Amino acid sequence: MSIFKGEMATEERRQGLIAHLADLDETYVLKLVQRLLDEGQDPLTIIKDCEQAMRLVGERYEGREYYLSGLIMAGEIFREVMAMVQPLMEQQLAGSSSGRVLLGTVQGDIHNIGKGIVEVALRCYGFTVEDLGVDVAPRCFLDHVENNPPDVIGLSGLITVAYESMKETIGLLRKKIIPGRPPIPIIIGGGTLNETVCRFVGADFWTTDALEGIRICQQIVKKAAER
Ligand code: B12
């Protein structure tokens, strides 16, 4: 028997997804996502709705309604949702941009769900991505830049500690001068970022949206090719 009551409108289903993910109702969420996909729902809309639910989870954690286990559970459900939507996302996003992006979550931070989405999207749009993982030390970013300079450097981070790491990483990277090349543009991403953080850490661009990040990377590569 279906767990859904009667025939729900799409908008109602979307609100249901947000509410049930925020409530950490794994069974309901996974069934609903499958149903939305079967009905041809855009995978990117599903991801956006899940992101909104994750913000609610964060607020409940801040309000002490959830403990750390709530964050862990939410992360696990999102991971399962991503496994379901990723194949469709890969089919849908197909581009021909070329360019290399060095990506990583900065030191002290282990959040990687958003970075994973960015990586998939970048690859779909034709970028070559080198993902250094999470909790990446500033020196590690520099080593990779020295060995194989990318066109863009993307730093991910969500916790306050990450802002200091981003600043340190960017400070180190800025000192690196590659003969005959302008400084490599640096973009930071993560749901808690804003313009103030961007200025504090000294990045060139910031975003809280994977697709906007891709557009920025495309512009950077296009501009470099025109020079
Ligand atoms: C799930 C989660 C976790 C999971 C993460 C699982 C995982 N594998 O990633 C776990 C349980 C590990 C976790 C741990 C912690 N967490 Co946490 N967590 C969250 C939560 C609820 C959701 C994050 C998420 O995945 N969102 C969904 C993704 C898709 O969104 P996103 O990351 O923003 O990514 C999108 C964009 O930002 C962008 N993007 C992301 N990166 C990049 C990079 C580039 C280059 C580009 C272009 C774009 C881009 O693209 C993505 C798609 O659009 C947030 C709440 C929130 N508001 O974000 C808290 C939150 C981030 N966590 C928080 C905290 C406090 C912690 C802990 C310190 C808790 C603790 N006491 O231990 C630890 C920190 C551990 C550490 N050292 O990193 C706080 C941070 C507050 C702060 N300012 O410091 C938040 C905001 C919750 C809150 N409101 O209090 N957490």
Side-chain angles (χ1 to χ4, degrees):
M1 207 184 76
S2 168
I3 60 169
F4 307 115
K5 283 184 239 109
E7 272 314 298
M8 280 194 273
T10 308
E11 184 52 35
E12 208 180 322
R13 278 202 232 289
R14 288 186 57 191
Q15 292 308 321
L17 175 58
I18 296 168
H20 285 272
L21 177 50
D23 287 346
L24 310 176
D25 187 346
E26 183 184 20
T27 310
Y28 191 99
V29 167
L30 299 183
K31 286 198 171 152
L32 184 51
V33 168
Q34 191 54 59
R35 181 139 177 190
L36 286 164
L37 289 175
D38 291 344
E39 286 171 358
Q41 176 66 269
D42 174 13
L44 294 175
T45 304
I46 295 176
I47 293 175
K48 278 277 141 235
D49 289 342
C50 289
E51 280 180 40
Q52 195 179 326
M54 295 302 252
R55 281 193 287 275
L56 292 175
V57 170
E59 283 167 19
R60 290 181 191 180
Y61 173 77
E62 257 178 297
R64 295 171 192 256
E65 197 181 323
Y66 285 164
Y67 298 105
L68 183 58
S69 55
L71 295 185
I72 295 171
M73 188 65 201
E76 182 54 25
I77 301 174
F78 202 137
R79 195 190 55 74
E80 292 177 272
V81 170
M82 271 313 287
M84 291 165 80
V85 300
Q86 190 170 322
L88 279 142
M89 182 178 156
E90 285 170 359
Q91 274 172 28
Q92 190 182 318
L93 303 178
S96 57
S97 323
S98 55
R100 281 192 61 250
V101 181
L102 181 66
L103 201 61
T105 300
V106 296
Q107 191 160 49
D109 196 327
I110 60 165
H111 292 85
N112 68 355
I113 297 173
K115 175 175 67 64
I117 295 173
V118 177
E119 183 186 357
V120 172
L122 279 167
R123 287 191 200 283
C124 291
Y125 277 99
F127 285 92
T128 304
V129 185
E130 189 175 4
D131 181 5
L132 301 183
V134 297
D135 192 15
V136 181
R139 181 72 227 181
C140 181
F141 280 103
L142 184 63
D143 288 346
H144 280 78
V145 167
E146 283 173 340
N147 290 337
N148 196 0
D151 299 294
V152 189
I153 299 166
L155 307 180
S156 186
L158 273 83
I159 53 176
T160 313
V161 173
Y163 308 160
E164 284 296 338
S165 296
M166 284 177 173
K167 191 178 169 72
E168 197 187 325
T169 305
I170 293 171
L172 198 63
L173 291 169
R174 294 285 192 227
K175 284 190 201 139
K176 175 77 204 162
I177 295 162
I178 301 166
R181 272 193 66 165
I184 301 171
I186 300 174
I187 173 169
I188 57 169
T192 60
L193 301 183
N194 54 40
E195 180 63 34
T196 309
V197 176
C198 182
R199 263 188 268 124
F200 170 73
V201 306
D204 300 299
F205 306 95
W206 69 278
T207 183
T208 58
D209 179 272
L211 292 187
E212 192 192 2
I214 310 301
R215 280 191 289 277
I216 295 170
C217 291
Q218 286 175 321
Q219 280 161 17
I220 292 170
V221 170
K222 189 165 169 250
K223 242 177 155 181
E226 285 164 2
R227 271 198 291 268

PDB file of all heavy atoms in Angstrom, residues 72-95:
ATOM      1  N   ILE A  72      23.911  13.804  11.611  1.00  0.00           N
ATOM      2  CA  ILE A  72      24.477  12.610  10.965  1.00  0.00           C
ATOM      3  C   ILE A  72      23.390  11.901  10.136  1.00  0.00           C
ATOM      4  O   ILE A  72      23.601  11.534   8.981  1.00  0.00           O
ATOM      5  CB  ILE A  72      25.090  11.647  12.013  1.00  0.00           C
ATOM      6  CG1 ILE A  72      26.286  12.329  12.699  1.00  0.00           C
ATOM      7  CG2 ILE A  72      25.506  10.325  11.372  1.00  0.00           C
ATOM      8  CD1 ILE A  72      26.855  11.583  13.896  1.00  0.00           C
ATOM      9  N   MET A  73      22.218  11.752  10.751  1.00  0.00           N
ATOM     10  CA  MET A  73      21.102  11.084  10.073  1.00  0.00           C
ATOM     11  C   MET A  73      20.698  11.855   8.808  1.00  0.00           C
ATOM     12  O   MET A  73      20.491  11.256   7.748  1.00  0.00           O
ATOM     13  CB  MET A  73      19.918  11.022  11.057  1.00  0.00           C
ATOM     14  CG  MET A  73      18.756  10.193  10.577  1.00  0.00           C
ATOM     15  SD  MET A  73      19.233   8.478  10.420  1.00  0.00           S
ATOM     16  CE  MET A  73      17.983   7.884   9.298  1.00  0.00           C
ATOM     17  N   ALA A  74      20.610  13.178   8.941  1.00  0.00           N
ATOM     18  CA  ALA A  74      20.225  14.007   7.780  1.00  0.00           C
ATOM     19  C   ALA A  74      21.248  13.832   6.656  1.00  0.00           C
ATOM     20  O   ALA A  74      20.880  13.688   5.483  1.00  0.00           O
ATOM     21  CB  ALA A  74      20.137  15.477   8.196  1.00  0.00           C
ATOM     22  N   GLY A  75      22.522  13.823   7.026  1.00  0.00           N
ATOM     23  CA  GLY A  75      23.589  13.644   6.033  1.00  0.00           C
ATOM     24  C   GLY A  75      23.461  12.301   5.333  1.00  0.00           C
ATOM     25  O   GLY A  75      23.631  12.185   4.117  1.00  0.00           O
ATOM     26  N   GLU A  76      23.119  11.274   6.099  1.00  0.00           N
ATOM     27  CA  GLU A  76      22.980   9.924   5.543  1.00  0.00           C
ATOM     28  C   GLU A  76      21.790   9.854   4.569  1.00  0.00           C
ATOM     29  O   GLU A  76      21.900   9.290   3.479  1.00  0.00           O
ATOM     30  CB  GLU A  76      22.798   8.934   6.715  1.00  0.00           C
ATOM     31  CG  GLU A  76      22.681   7.479   6.324  1.00  0.00           C
ATOM     32  CD  GLU A  76      23.838   6.981   5.459  1.00  0.00           C
ATOM     33  OE1 GLU A  76      24.955   7.546   5.514  1.00  0.00           O
ATOM     34  OE2 GLU A  76      23.603   6.046   4.696  1.00  0.00           O
ATOM     35  N   ILE A  77      20.674  10.480   4.946  1.00  0.00           N
ATOM     36  CA  ILE A  77      19.499  10.456   4.049  1.00  0.00           C
ATOM     37  C   ILE A  77      19.829  11.215   2.753  1.00  0.00           C
ATOM     38  O   ILE A  77      19.516  10.757   1.660  1.00  0.00           O
ATOM     39  CB  ILE A  77      18.245  11.078   4.729  1.00  0.00           C
ATOM     40  CG1 ILE A  77      17.900  10.319   6.016  1.00  0.00           C
ATOM     41  CG2 ILE A  77      17.048  11.045   3.782  1.00  0.00           C
ATOM     42  CD1 ILE A  77      16.757  10.943   6.834  1.00  0.00           C
ATOM     43  N   PHE A  78      20.505  12.365   2.907  1.00  0.00           N
ATOM     44  CA  PHE A  78      20.865  13.143   1.710  1.00  0.00           C
ATOM     45  C   PHE A  78      21.775  12.314   0.796  1.00  0.00           C
ATOM     46  O   PHE A  78      21.641  12.315  -0.428  1.00  0.00           O
ATOM     47  CB  PHE A  78      21.547  14.455   2.111  1.00  0.00           C
ATOM     48  CG  PHE A  78      21.487  15.536   1.044  1.00  0.00           C
ATOM     49  CD1 PHE A  78      21.195  16.847   1.379  1.00  0.00           C
ATOM     50  CD2 PHE A  78      21.720  15.252  -0.287  1.00  0.00           C
ATOM     51  CE1 PHE A  78      21.122  17.846   0.407  1.00  0.00           C
ATOM     52  CE2 PHE A  78      21.661  16.238  -1.271  1.00  0.00           C
ATOM     53  CZ  PHE A  78      21.379  17.524  -0.916  1.00  0.00           C
ATOM     54  N   ARG A  79      22.706  11.573   1.415  1.00  0.00           N
ATOM     55  CA  ARG A  79      23.621  10.742   0.617  1.00  0.00           C
ATOM     56  C   ARG A  79      22.823   9.710  -0.196  1.00  0.00           C
ATOM     57  O   ARG A  79      23.085   9.478  -1.378  1.00  0.00           O
ATOM     58  CB  ARG A  79      24.607  10.037   1.559  1.00  0.00           C
ATOM     59  CG  ARG A  79      25.819   9.431   0.884  1.00  0.00           C
ATOM     60  CD  ARG A  79      26.612   8.546   1.840  1.00  0.00           C
ATOM     61  NE  ARG A  79      25.812   7.484   2.464  1.00  0.00           N
ATOM     62  CZ  ARG A  79      25.388   6.393   1.849  1.00  0.00           C
ATOM     63  NH1 ARG A  79      25.702   6.190   0.593  1.00  0.00           N
ATOM     64  NH2 ARG A  79      24.659   5.489   2.486  1.00  0.00           N
ATOM     65  N   GLU A  80      21.811   9.116   0.454  1.00  0.00           N
ATOM     66  CA  GLU A  80      20.981   8.115  -0.240  1.00  0.00           C
ATOM     67  C   GLU A  80      20.168   8.767  -1.371  1.00  0.00           C
ATOM     68  O   GLU A  80      19.999   8.188  -2.438  1.00  0.00           O
ATOM     69  CB  GLU A  80      20.035   7.435   0.757  1.00  0.00           C
ATOM     70  CG  GLU A  80      20.770   6.554   1.758  1.00  0.00           C
ATOM     71  CD  GLU A  80      19.826   5.951   2.781  1.00  0.00           C
ATOM     72  OE1 GLU A  80      19.571   6.590   3.829  1.00  0.00           O
ATOM     73  OE2 GLU A  80      19.332   4.849   2.535  1.00  0.00           O
ATOM     74  N   VAL A  81      19.674   9.991  -1.105  1.00  0.00           N
ATOM     75  CA  VAL A  81      18.912  10.702  -2.137  1.00  0.00           C
ATOM     76  C   VAL A  81      19.839  10.988  -3.327  1.00  0.00           C
ATOM     77  O   VAL A  81      19.471  10.786  -4.488  1.00  0.00           O
ATOM     78  CB  VAL A  81      18.317  12.023  -1.582  1.00  0.00           C
ATOM     79  CG1 VAL A  81      17.735  12.865  -2.712  1.00  0.00           C
ATOM     80  CG2 VAL A  81      17.257  11.744  -0.534  1.00  0.00           C
ATOM     81  N   MET A  82      21.057  11.425  -3.023  1.00  0.00           N
ATOM     82  CA  MET A  82      22.011  11.740  -4.102  1.00  0.00           C
ATOM     83  C   MET A  82      22.290  10.510  -4.968  1.00  0.00           C
ATOM     84  O   MET A  82      22.406  10.612  -6.187  1.00  0.00           O
ATOM     85  CB  MET A  82      23.334  12.269  -3.514  1.00  0.00           C
ATOM     86  CG  MET A  82      23.394  13.762  -3.304  1.00  0.00           C
ATOM     87  SD  MET A  82      22.827  14.732  -4.706  1.00  0.00           S
ATOM     88  CE  MET A  82      24.177  14.509  -5.877  1.00  0.00           C
ATOM     89  N   ALA A  83      22.401   9.341  -4.312  1.00  0.00           N
ATOM     90  CA  ALA A  83      22.661   8.116  -5.077  1.00  0.00           C
ATOM     91  C   ALA A  83      21.513   7.863  -6.058  1.00  0.00           C
ATOM     92  O   ALA A  83      21.720   7.335  -7.154  1.00  0.00           O
ATOM     93  CB  ALA A  83      22.833   6.934  -4.118  1.00  0.00           C
ATOM     94  N   MET A  84      20.304   8.264  -5.681  1.00  0.00           N
ATOM     95  CA  MET A  84      19.142   8.062  -6.560  1.00  0.00           C
ATOM     96  C   MET A  84      19.093   9.090  -7.682  1.00  0.00           C
ATOM     97  O   MET A  84      18.744   8.766  -8.816  1.00  0.00           O
ATOM     98  CB  MET A  84      17.839   8.153  -5.740  1.00  0.00           C
ATOM     99  CG  MET A  84      17.656   6.995  -4.779  1.00  0.00           C
ATOM    100  SD  MET A  84      16.375   7.363  -3.560  1.00  0.00           S
ATOM    101  CE  MET A  84      14.908   7.009  -4.517  1.00  0.00           C
ATOM    102  N   VAL A  85      19.416  10.346  -7.372  1.00  0.00           N
ATOM    103  CA  VAL A  85      19.236  11.407  -8.389  1.00  0.00           C
ATOM    104  C   VAL A  85      20.467  11.619  -9.283  1.00  0.00           C
ATOM    105  O   VAL A  85      20.337  12.137 -10.385  1.00  0.00           O
ATOM    106  CB  VAL A  85      18.828  12.775  -7.769  1.00  0.00           C
ATOM    107  CG1 VAL A  85      17.538  12.680  -7.013  1.00  0.00           C
ATOM    108  CG2 VAL A  85      19.912  13.353  -6.906  1.00  0.00           C
ATOM    109  N   GLN A  86      21.620  11.164  -8.800  1.00  0.00           N
ATOM    110  CA  GLN A  86      22.858  11.461  -9.551  1.00  0.00           C
ATOM    111  C   GLN A  86      22.843  10.969 -11.009  1.00  0.00           C
ATOM    112  O   GLN A  86      23.219  11.720 -11.914  1.00  0.00           O
ATOM    113  CB  GLN A  86      24.076  10.915  -8.809  1.00  0.00           C
ATOM    114  CG  GLN A  86      25.392  11.392  -9.412  1.00  0.00           C
ATOM    115  CD  GLN A  86      26.571  11.051  -8.533  1.00  0.00           C
ATOM    116  OE1 GLN A  86      26.481  11.125  -7.304  1.00  0.00           O
ATOM    117  NE2 GLN A  86      27.673  10.663  -9.143  1.00  0.00           N
ATOM    118  N   PRO A  87      22.405   9.715 -11.273  1.00  0.00           N
ATOM    119  CA  PRO A  87      22.417   9.265 -12.671  1.00  0.00           C
ATOM    120  C   PRO A  87      21.592  10.178 -13.575  1.00  0.00           C
ATOM    121  O   PRO A  87      22.001  10.487 -14.696  1.00  0.00           O
ATOM    122  CB  PRO A  87      21.800   7.869 -12.606  1.00  0.00           C
ATOM    123  CG  PRO A  87      21.979   7.427 -11.189  1.00  0.00           C
ATOM    124  CD  PRO A  87      21.941   8.657 -10.357  1.00  0.00           C
ATOM    125  N   LEU A  88      20.450  10.640 -13.078  1.00  0.00           N
ATOM    126  CA  LEU A  88      19.598  11.526 -13.891  1.00  0.00           C
ATOM    127  C   LEU A  88      20.213  12.898 -14.049  1.00  0.00           C
ATOM    128  O   LEU A  88      20.116  13.535 -15.086  1.00  0.00           O
ATOM    129  CB  LEU A  88      18.222  11.658 -13.234  1.00  0.00           C
ATOM    130  CG  LEU A  88      17.346  10.466 -13.565  1.00  0.00           C
ATOM    131  CD1 LEU A  88      16.500  10.070 -12.386  1.00  0.00           C
ATOM    132  CD2 LEU A  88      16.493  10.807 -14.765  1.00  0.00           C
ATOM    133  N   MET A  89      20.849  13.341 -12.959  1.00  0.00           N
ATOM    134  CA  MET A  89      21.512  14.652 -12.999  1.00  0.00           C
ATOM    135  C   MET A  89      22.609  14.611 -14.067  1.00  0.00           C
ATOM    136  O   MET A  89      22.772  15.540 -14.842  1.00  0.00           O
ATOM    137  CB  MET A  89      22.102  14.904 -11.614  1.00  0.00           C
ATOM    138  CG  MET A  89      22.776  16.217 -11.422  1.00  0.00           C
ATOM    139  SD  MET A  89      23.323  16.307  -9.703  1.00  0.00           S
ATOM    140  CE  MET A  89      24.640  17.487  -9.864  1.00  0.00           C
ATOM    141  N   GLU A  90      23.329  13.491 -14.116  1.00  0.00           N
ATOM    142  CA  GLU A  90      24.416  13.367 -15.093  1.00  0.00           C
ATOM    143  C   GLU A  90      23.869  13.390 -16.521  1.00  0.00           C
ATOM    144  O   GLU A  90      24.476  13.950 -17.414  1.00  0.00           O
ATOM    145  CB  GLU A  90      25.218  12.089 -14.836  1.00  0.00           C
ATOM    146  CG  GLU A  90      26.112  12.242 -13.617  1.00  0.00           C
ATOM    147  CD  GLU A  90      26.755  10.945 -13.163  1.00  0.00           C
ATOM    148  OE1 GLU A  90      26.497   9.894 -13.772  1.00  0.00           O
ATOM    149  OE2 GLU A  90      27.511  10.994 -12.180  1.00  0.00           O
ATOM    150  N   GLN A  91      22.678  12.769 -16.708  1.00  0.00           N
ATOM    151  CA  GLN A  91      22.062  12.768 -18.048  1.00  0.00           C
ATOM    152  C   GLN A  91      21.626  14.174 -18.440  1.00  0.00           C
ATOM    153  O   GLN A  91      21.765  14.604 -19.570  1.00  0.00           O
ATOM    154  CB  GLN A  91      20.804  11.905 -18.042  1.00  0.00           C
ATOM    155  CG  GLN A  91      21.051  10.435 -18.295  1.00  0.00           C
ATOM    156  CD  GLN A  91      19.773   9.644 -18.066  1.00  0.00           C
ATOM    157  OE1 GLN A  91      18.674  10.159 -18.219  1.00  0.00           O
ATOM    158  NE2 GLN A  91      19.930   8.406 -17.675  1.00  0.00           N
ATOM    159  N   GLN A  92      21.102  14.881 -17.434  1.00  0.00           N
ATOM    160  CA  GLN A  92      20.491  16.178 -17.713  1.00  0.00           C
ATOM    161  C   GLN A  92      21.519  17.276 -17.969  1.00  0.00           C
ATOM    162  O   GLN A  92      21.357  18.105 -18.837  1.00  0.00           O
ATOM    163  CB  GLN A  92      19.604  16.574 -16.540  1.00  0.00           C
ATOM    164  CG  GLN A  92      18.746  17.774 -16.848  1.00  0.00           C
ATOM    165  CD  GLN A  92      17.931  18.161 -15.636  1.00  0.00           C
ATOM    166  OE1 GLN A  92      17.386  17.311 -14.949  1.00  0.00           O
ATOM    167  NE2 GLN A  92      17.865  19.429 -15.360  1.00  0.00           N
ATOM    168  N   LEU A  93      22.554  17.269 -17.139  1.00  0.00           N
ATOM    169  CA  LEU A  93      23.571  18.304 -17.284  1.00  0.00           C
ATOM    170  C   LEU A  93      24.649  17.803 -18.225  1.00  0.00           C
ATOM    171  O   LEU A  93      25.425  16.948 -17.868  1.00  0.00           O
ATOM    172  CB  LEU A  93      24.234  18.623 -15.935  1.00  0.00           C
ATOM    173  CG  LEU A  93      23.355  19.059 -14.779  1.00  0.00           C
ATOM    174  CD1 LEU A  93      24.221  19.268 -13.546  1.00  0.00           C
ATOM    175  CD2 LEU A  93      22.635  20.344 -15.111  1.00  0.00           C
ATOM    176  N   ALA A  94      24.669  18.302 -19.400  1.00  0.00           N
ATOM    177  CA  ALA A  94      25.738  17.891 -20.304  1.00  0.00           C
ATOM    178  C   ALA A  94      26.264  19.142 -20.977  1.00  0.00           C
ATOM    179  O   ALA A  94      25.512  19.880 -21.608  1.00  0.00           O
ATOM    180  CB  ALA A  94      25.230  16.895 -21.315  1.00  0.00           C
ATOM    181  N   GLY A  95      27.519  19.398 -20.794  1.00  0.00           N
ATOM    182  CA  GLY A  95      28.097  20.609 -21.376  1.00  0.00           C
ATOM    183  C   GLY A  95      29.426  20.294 -22.011  1.00  0.00           C
ATOM    184  O   GLY A  95      29.914  19.166 -21.947  1.00  0.00           O
TER     185      GLY A  95
END
